[in-house]
Amino acid sequence: MLSVIRGLNSLSIRPLHVSAAVNSSVFMKKQKKMDPEVAKQRETRRRKRLEKEIRSMQKHSKKPKPIDEMALDVRSSKNINCVLSERRREAVIYTEEEQDEYAVALKDYTRSRNALQRLDDQWIRDAMRMQSKALAELKKIDPVLWEKAVQPDANLPLVSNGPALSPPVKGYVAPDGDYIDTTRSWT
């Protein structure tokens, strides 16, 4: 009986084969053995290609950025050069009295614009003060009517979503934002 059990144990183990664990991934390619001379040639070719790319980048780095508005065909440029040579103005030299007149006129204009700006500001301040005074009187007379007067007009397409008036949170550390550079490259 014991020999039969031993025979069964040996029979059940025989078809099971154990191999050594493979120390590589299924996705890794097996490295081919390469001739050192061929590897050296490939490395030199790669190095030469990189040097050529670096030289071309250095050559193109000095080019100015292209401006679409500055692109001009040859006929137009010849025409412009011809017209510019015919229509040159001489530099105007002003006398000292003309320069003084110009300075005085500029100062007068600046003063008048400043006075007009002050009048506009005063008019706006007065209107706002009268409006707040009228609203305060309306609130005393009829709070319901005041509530309707304070509501924004539905006919105006004004939409303003500003920050909420809330005190800052103590101990809050604002996170740093990510900056994505979207500058166009012209090289």
Side-chain angles (χ1 to χ4, degrees), residues 86-99:
E86 293 173 4
R87 300 178 129 204
R88 294 255 179 222
R89 285 191 186 180
E90 295 177 14
V92 180
I93 301 170
Y94 294 106
T95 63
E96 199 168 317
E97 290 103 21
E98 289 174 333
Q99 289 177 353

Side-chain angles (χ1 to χ4, degrees), residues 42-75:
R42 285 186 182 173
E43 184 64 32
T44 55
R45 273 192 231 125
R46 188 180 299 129
R47 187 176 290 125
K48 282 181 183 177
R49 189 171 56 243
L50 284 173
E51 287 172 356
K52 185 178 178 183
E53 288 177 10
I54 289 171
R55 278 196 305 272
S56 69
M57 285 173 60
Q58 287 173 345
K59 185 171 74 173
H60 293 300
S61 67
K62 294 174 185 168
K63 280 187 180 176
K65 291 181 183 178
I67 302 172
D68 298 333
E69 295 86 12
M70 296 297 287
L72 205 62
D73 60 331
V74 177
R75 284 177 35 206

Side-chain angles (χ1 to χ4, degrees), residues 32-168:
K32 295 178 184 174
K33 292 194 177 185
M34 191 184 303
D35 186 27
E37 196 64 33
V38 174
K40 191 174 182 181
Q41 285 177 348
R42 285 186 182 173
E43 184 64 32
T44 55
R45 273 192 231 125
R46 188 180 299 129
R47 187 176 290 125
K48 282 181 183 177
R49 189 171 56 243
L50 284 173
E51 287 172 356
K52 185 178 178 183
E53 288 177 10
I54 289 171
R55 278 196 305 272
S56 69
M57 285 173 60
Q58 287 173 345
K59 185 171 74 173
H60 293 300
S61 67
K62 294 174 185 168
K63 280 187 180 176
K65 291 181 183 178
I67 302 172
D68 298 333
E69 295 86 12
M70 296 297 287
L72 205 62
D73 60 331
V74 177
R75 284 177 35 206
S76 298
S77 65
K78 286 180 181 175
N79 187 20
I80 288 173
N81 290 336
C82 179
V83 170
L84 286 179
S85 62
E86 293 173 4
R87 300 178 129 204
R88 294 255 179 222
R89 285 191 186 180
E90 295 177 14
V92 180
I93 301 170
Y94 294 106
T95 63
E96 199 168 317
E97 290 103 21
E98 289 174 333
Q99 289 177 353
D100 290 343
E101 283 179 25
Y102 179 75
V104 167
L106 187 62
K107 286 182 181 181
D108 287 342
Y109 177 76
T110 305
R111 284 189 199 108
S112 67
R113 294 289 104 191
N114 196 359
L116 187 63
Q117 181 65 39
R118 275 191 254 120
L119 287 173
D120 285 348
D121 287 347
Q122 187 61 42
W123 180 79
I124 290 170
R125 277 194 225 102
D126 290 344
M128 288 175 67
R129 188 173 62 248
M130 286 188 281
Q131 182 187 26
S132 62
K133 190 176 180 181
L135 283 172
E137 290 295 321
L138 184 62
K139 191 173 186 180
K140 289 178 188 175
I141 296 170
D142 190 3
V144 176
L145 194 58
W146 174 83
E147 190 67 41
K148 288 182 181 178
V150 174
Q151 294 297 322
D153 192 1
N155 296 331
L156 294 176
L158 177 68
V159 176
S160 61
N161 297 324
L165 295 174
S166 59

